Amino acid sequence: MNPVGTTAAPAAPAGDAAARGGYILAEALDADPGAAAPDVVLVAAGGEVPAALDARRILQREGIATRVVSMPCAAWFRQQSRAYRDTVLPPGAPATVSVGAGAEVGRYQLLGEAGGTAGNTALASCDRGLFDTAGLTAERVAATARAALARAAGAARAGERGRP
């Protein structure tokens, strides 16, 4: 056991991505194999993963290359090498969305300027029906991803014009 107040990442065997705190669960299917990063990254943990995977299917059908990252422990993930973190959450991705039904537990810090959150932070249950009732649905996650992409595109256009 670690001393109180510290959470060291466990030693991660080669095949144990969860011990690294975060890993690629579902890769983006991109029509452009030369793309440096997916269009959007959905970051989820635990009971939120199904909503993220369903949202990925929706977004992929719309031509939005979407990666799903499972983030069981953001603290452990931040302890990994920059190279590993950049492989999982590529800095070139226009948008990263945290999919959460409870507290964001450190994932929000990983979003960047074009990030967003989908979920109800007052909800901590993993009951699927309660997720739907509270609004953590694949459709809501997909809508949040589209909004984050729109913000990123707007910021890029403003930057091209020389505006902040």
Side-chain angles (χ1 to χ4, degrees):
M1 186 79 179
N2 296 317
V4 174
T6 65
T7 308
D16 191 4
R20 299 185 101 176
Y23 59 94
I24 300 168
L25 180 63
E27 186 55 274
L29 303 175
D30 192 349
D32 178 8
D39 298 325
V40 66
V41 179
L42 304 177
V43 182
E48 297 93 346
V49 168
L53 290 170
D54 290 346
R56 175 184 173 268
R57 284 187 274 282
I58 292 168
L59 294 165
Q60 289 283 160
R61 280 194 305 265
E62 296 172 5
I64 300 171
T66 306
R67 173 184 290 178
V68 175
V69 169
S70 177
M71 186 72 60
C73 184
W76 292 353
F77 182 73
R78 283 192 299 275
Q79 293 175 19
Q80 304 306 313
S81 71
R82 166 67 66 191
Y84 178 76
R85 290 182 314 213
D86 287 352
T87 298
V88 175
L89 296 176
T96 302
V97 173
S98 177
V99 181
E104 294 301 318
V105 195
R107 287 179 279 158
Y108 192 76
Q109 297 168 331
L110 304 170
L111 297 182
E113 290 181 21
T117 59
N120 179 338
T121 58
L123 177 65
S125 170
C126 290
D127 180 279
R128 181 73 176 191
L130 197 52
F131 275 8
D132 293 344
T133 302
L136 184 58
T137 63
E139 293 78 14
R140 182 169 177 192
V141 174
T144 301
R146 287 185 211 100
L149 282 170
R151 280 192 305 275
R157 283 190 301 272
E160 289 171 3
R161 292 187 298 250
R163 288 191 234 158

